Amino acid sequence: MQARLRDRWQEAARQLLFPTVAALLIGGGLAAWAGLPQLSILAWLAGTALALLALAVDIVLALGRGEFGLDLIAALAMAGALALGEHLAGIIIAVMFTGGEALESFAQRRARRELTALLSRVPGSAARYRNGGIEEVPLDQLAAGDRILIRKGDVVPSDGSVEAGAAVLDESALTGEAMPVRLLAGQPVMSGSVNAGDPFDLRVSAPAAQSTYAGIVRLVREAQQSKAPMARLADRFALAFLPLTLALAGVAWLVSGDPDRALAVLVVATPCPLILAVPVAIISGVSRCASKGVLVKGGGALETLARARTVLFDKTGTVTAGSARLVDMKLRPDLDAGEVLRLAASLDQGSRHVIAEALVAAARERGLALTPPATASEVPGSGIAGEIGGRGVSVGGWDFVTGRLGGSAFQDDLARWVRRPGTVSVLVAIDGGLAGAFLFADEVRPEAGTVLRRLRDAGAERIVLATGDRADLAADVAAFLGVDHVVAEMKPEDKIRVVEAERAAHGPVMMVGDGVNDAPALAAADIGVAMGARGAAASSEAADVVILLDRLDRLANAIGIARRSRGIALQSVYAGMGLSIAAMIAAALGHLQPVQGAVLQEVIDVAVILNALRALGPALRDRYGRAKLHGRELSSLEAEHRALLDVIEAMGTVAERSRHLPGAALRSELLALERMLNERLLPHELKDDREIYARIRKGAGDENALAGMSRTHMEINHMVRSLEAMRAGLDQLEPSEAERYELQRLLHSLAAVTKLHFAQEEEIYRALEAR
């Protein structure tokens, strides 16, 4: 309470003191111009005394907290001016000091804008359904399981899920994403989001005090109260600088016999660049990170983020997406892939198994219309069986599905196909016959490769993958990413030992993770970074940095911001202090009068603070010197790729069916596939090349940029034309085995090239997202 009152008093004093002192300076000047010297002296004396009194109170409060700062030099300068009758110099010093404080206050408010915006959005109550009506209740009365109404424009007060229908939410204050997101029934909603669409019902999953947003608010308050090591440097600097200043002022007085020289030294001695510019630059960096969806818990964390040389990554949920995703399917040749997926996902709607949810998500991503099952019976952990539209469907593990069927050659073929490391298979049976299998995997994030390259460019000398997964799975991911070292099958305490060993061998360590098991290592590292969008609350609490958006590339953005902010702070310190020391020497030699020194010091203060505020924006080379895509464009491009997933899967399906289909049926399916390729895939690639690539080349100033990617467009087009020619040349009766083999090879190649090309484009696009 005392700290808050002190801070409010100091803030109010800064806001009122500067205009008051400035008005007295102007009033005294007008009085002197009007031939009223006594009145001018009185005005200047009053302004100086007022500033000196406020400064004395600040110094006493600081000493009470055990802090010893450089404000004492400014107090001595004002007191000296009063004692020597340098009334104009005294009021200029007062304006200089109060103006610097006011400018710092403005800069701090400007820099903290993103953090303050988070705090200002905390809702006070919620509309809860109770006894057939709606009641407005305080947030602390919400409990898990409550159903609440979220009106248009409301801030979601607690974590939960959409009860029914759909919700359109603005998550920009939490994630930095400008585009609203559309969530369907059952999908999780993050507290702190704003309802940008029609009212919807939310099923609360956690009390408000335990929600994501409440945790973020706690972290923000920690960030605001933290004091950076570079800012604390000013306090330590005072111990050496104050005696030096007094000694130089005393020597100048003794040698020259002129006390004005001592006063001039004191006037220009205050190291405002260190007092003002450092906290402004650091908090500007913290605020800019917040605008990008990265919450940094104060200046100390930002500085350490800029200095880390070894980076430890957890695997699951950090370098991988942390959730299962449909990556491949193998179905009986006589079945339609979309219909099999639709039937399986429709049945799995009734299951809460994580793979079942992934299967349903895959079907919805492909725009398939799901129907509720007429009947459903689930064996937890094994599978589910039921009826969909009059057809009997079974979905589950190998033993659950095949145990109800007889053996077949297709089943034997499928048994070999599902044996892929790092994947989970789900079998489907329809009307008593084995229909096929889906493969799910936790894939490496599309931006992971770019992030690791940017980390190395930013000074990371060693990148380590530390995971509790099996050694073979960890080795596959490590080889794919090209990390320097991998440690697998680890317990939480083992990760702490790895952190300590890496620190001893290679210097400051950054740990990046998302799970409860990562929390000890996050706390033990020099800088802990938590993937907070879907990660555990324990990891977010233990970390120094929390990435609020489920995007690993925001880590690279935050490191770039941290390095730039620290560089700007040091630049302001070196330039400002160098100028101040030069001015002190000039004053000691008699080349600067007190009034001139006061004006010069004010100019230095303004220059270094304005320079420090540059940390709020991107570097000029990022703003004007590089090609970039905005977040909404990136989301649109990735959505286009998702919309074309069914085209890629159709290539694989036709390739598999081409071995068995009769000639007429094969030609019919090839014609249908060609229409998809010519009407959907090729126009997409042409648009990318002529619009997106052209803009990137122009922004990069390099007409050969993305030449390799354009060459892939040409290859895809060539393969489509080869497919058309092959289809036209097929034997009118029955294709030969050699023709079927060549057709299958071409289709599999086209699918692989297109899928790889999409992945490369997404990595490039994410790397070009506006920073």
Side-chain angles (χ1 to χ4, degrees), residues 328-407:
D328 205 353
M329 62 178 75
K330 185 178 180 67
L331 305 174
R332 216 169 62 214
D334 60 311
L335 298 176
D336 177 78
E339 180 63 11
V340 173
L341 178 58
R342 188 190 71 82
L343 290 172
S346 294
L347 180 62
D348 259 346
Q349 289 179 107
S351 174
R352 287 296 181 184
H353 193 280
V354 62
I355 300 298
E357 293 175 352
L359 184 61
V360 172
R364 286 177 172 159
E365 192 174 66
R366 288 156 178 79
L368 300 177
L370 306 185
T371 55
T375 61
S377 175
E378 183 174 12
V379 178
S382 297
I384 186 171
E387 185 177 315
I388 303 290
R391 307 193 69 177
V393 182
S394 299
V395 182
W398 182 270
D399 293 338
F400 178 83
V401 174
T402 60
R404 302 162 180 247
L405 309 171

Side-chain angles (χ1 to χ4, degrees), residues 109 209 229 314 326 366 387 460-461 493 584 635 649 720 731:
R109 289 196 306 273
D314 173 53
L326 178 61
R366 288 156 178 79
E387 185 177 315
E461 299 169 354
E493 58 269 24
M584 288 171 60
S635 299
E649 289 167 354
V720 171
D731 190 290

Side-chain angles (χ1 to χ4, degrees), residues 232-251:
R232 290 193 293 267
L233 179 63
D235 301 332
R236 297 194 298 271
F237 187 84
L239 296 175
F241 191 77
L242 179 59
L244 175 64
T245 300
L246 295 177
L248 184 58
V251 169

Side-chain angles (χ1 to χ4, degrees), residues 124 137-143 207-209:
V137 296
L139 294 189
D140 57 9
Q141 293 186 18
L142 287 182

Side-chain angles (χ1 to χ4, degrees), residues 178-344:
M179 294 296 291
V181 297
R182 186 172 185 270
L183 302 178
L184 301 176
Q187 290 189 289
V189 177
M190 186 163 52
S191 56
S193 307
V194 176
N195 183 12
D198 295 329
F200 70 94
D201 291 345
L202 179 86
R203 182 68 65 177
V204 176
S205 62
Q210 300 174 16
S211 68
T212 300
Y213 196 61
I216 291 172
V217 168
R218 286 194 297 272
L219 301 181
V220 168
R221 287 184 174 138
E222 289 178 19
Q224 291 185 323
Q225 294 167 4
S226 170
K227 190 174 184 183
M230 285 179 66
R232 290 193 293 267
L233 179 63
D235 301 332
R236 297 194 298 271
F237 187 84
L239 296 175
F241 191 77
L242 179 59
L244 175 64
T245 300
L246 295 177
L248 184 58
V251 169
W253 189 354
L254 289 174
V255 171
S256 66
D258 183 1
D260 283 349
R261 289 198 185 187
L263 177 60
V265 171
L266 292 175
V267 168
V268 298
T270 305
C272 292
L274 193 58
I275 296 175
L276 305 179
V278 170
V280 169
I282 295 300
I283 200 63
S284 293
V286 171
S287 181
R288 185 146 191 267
C289 284
S291 73
K292 297 296 182 182
V294 180
L295 185 59
V296 181
K297 299 181 185 178
L302 191 81
E303 289 182 48
T304 309
L305 192 64
R307 295 187 295 105
R309 290 294 174 264
T310 299
V311 184
L312 268 68
F313 282 103
D314 173 53
K315 183 179 79 68
T316 304
T318 303
V319 298
T320 67
S323 59
R325 183 178 176 85
L326 178 61
V327 294
D328 205 353
M329 62 178 75
K330 185 178 180 67
L331 305 174
R332 216 169 62 214
D334 60 311
L335 298 176
D336 177 78
E339 180 63 11
V340 173
L341 178 58
R342 188 190 71 82
L343 290 172

Side-chain angles (χ1 to χ4, degrees), residues 504-524:
H506 304 286
V509 174
M510 178 194 305
M511 173 70 196
V512 188
D514 73 314
V516 173
N517 63 326
D518 297 320
L522 291 170

Side-chain angles (χ1 to χ4, degrees), residues 662-736:
L666 177 57
R667 283 187 287 274
S668 176
E669 292 206 2
L670 286 173
L671 277 171
L673 177 60
E674 287 171 19
R675 280 195 297 272
M676 295 176 72
L677 295 172
N678 283 296
E679 294 173 5
R680 296 175 59 192
L681 179 63
L682 293 186
H684 165 80
E685 302 299 345
L686 184 63
K687 177 186 174 184
D688 276 1
D689 204 85
R690 292 185 177 178
E691 296 181 16
I692 306 300
Y693 286 18
R695 199 165 88 243
I696 292 173
R697 291 186 182 104
K698 183 178 179 180
D702 182 1
E703 62 182 14
N704 294 315
L706 300 181
M709 300 297 290
S710 292
R711 178 65 180 83
T712 306
H713 286 167
M714 297 168 62
E715 183 62 27
I716 291 173
N717 187 72
H718 174 69
M719 295 174 81
V720 171
R721 301 303 164 226
S722 298
L723 178 63
E724 292 174 346
M726 190 174 292
R727 189 262 310 159
L730 286 178
D731 190 290
Q732 291 300 309
L733 297 176
E734 284 295 326
S736 66

Side-chain angles (χ1 to χ4, degrees), residues 488-661:
E489 300 180 8
M490 307 190 72
K491 298 177 182 178
E493 58 269 24
D494 296 329
K495 291 185 178 181
I496 295 177
R497 286 194 285 272
V498 171
V499 168
E500 293 172 346
E502 291 293 333
R503 181 190 294 119
H506 304 286
V509 174
M510 178 194 305
M511 173 70 196
V512 188
D514 73 314
V516 173
N517 63 326
D518 297 320
L522 291 170
D526 297 278
I527 181 77
V529 180
M531 300 293 293
R534 293 185 301 180
S539 62
S540 296
E541 293 290 344
D544 305 291
V545 178
V546 181
I547 301 176
L548 303 176
L549 186 63
D550 193 27
R551 290 273 300 275
L552 187 60
D553 53 354
R554 297 305 169 101
L555 171 62
N557 291 346
I559 291 174
I561 291 169
R563 288 173 60 84
R564 182 166 180 267
S565 299
R566 188 171 186 270
I568 288 173
L570 291 174
Q571 182 186 84
S572 296
V573 168
Y574 294 149
M577 292 301 297
L579 291 172
S580 294
I581 291 173
M584 288 171 60
I585 295 173
L589 295 176
H591 299 305
L592 279 178
Q593 296 302 310
V595 173
Q596 296 170 329
V599 173
L600 177 61
Q601 185 62 51
E602 181 70 4
V603 171
I604 295 173
D605 291 351
V606 172
V608 296
I609 289 179
L610 292 178
N611 181 64
L613 280 173
R614 291 192 302 115
L616 276 173
L620 288 178
R621 65 177 179 275
D622 288 337
R623 183 176 297 175
Y624 302 111
R626 61 186 293 270
K628 53 181 175 288
L629 296 173
H630 295 287
R632 59 182 179 275
E633 294 177 299
L634 176 62
S635 299
S636 175
L637 292 167
E638 291 182 342
E640 289 179 19
H641 283 177
R642 288 194 298 271
L644 290 168
L645 279 176
D646 63 321
V647 178
I648 297 176
E649 289 167 354
M651 299 177 204
T653 300
V654 175
E656 289 299 314
R657 290 163 63 85
S658 67
R659 294 188 300 171
H660 310 289
L661 282 176

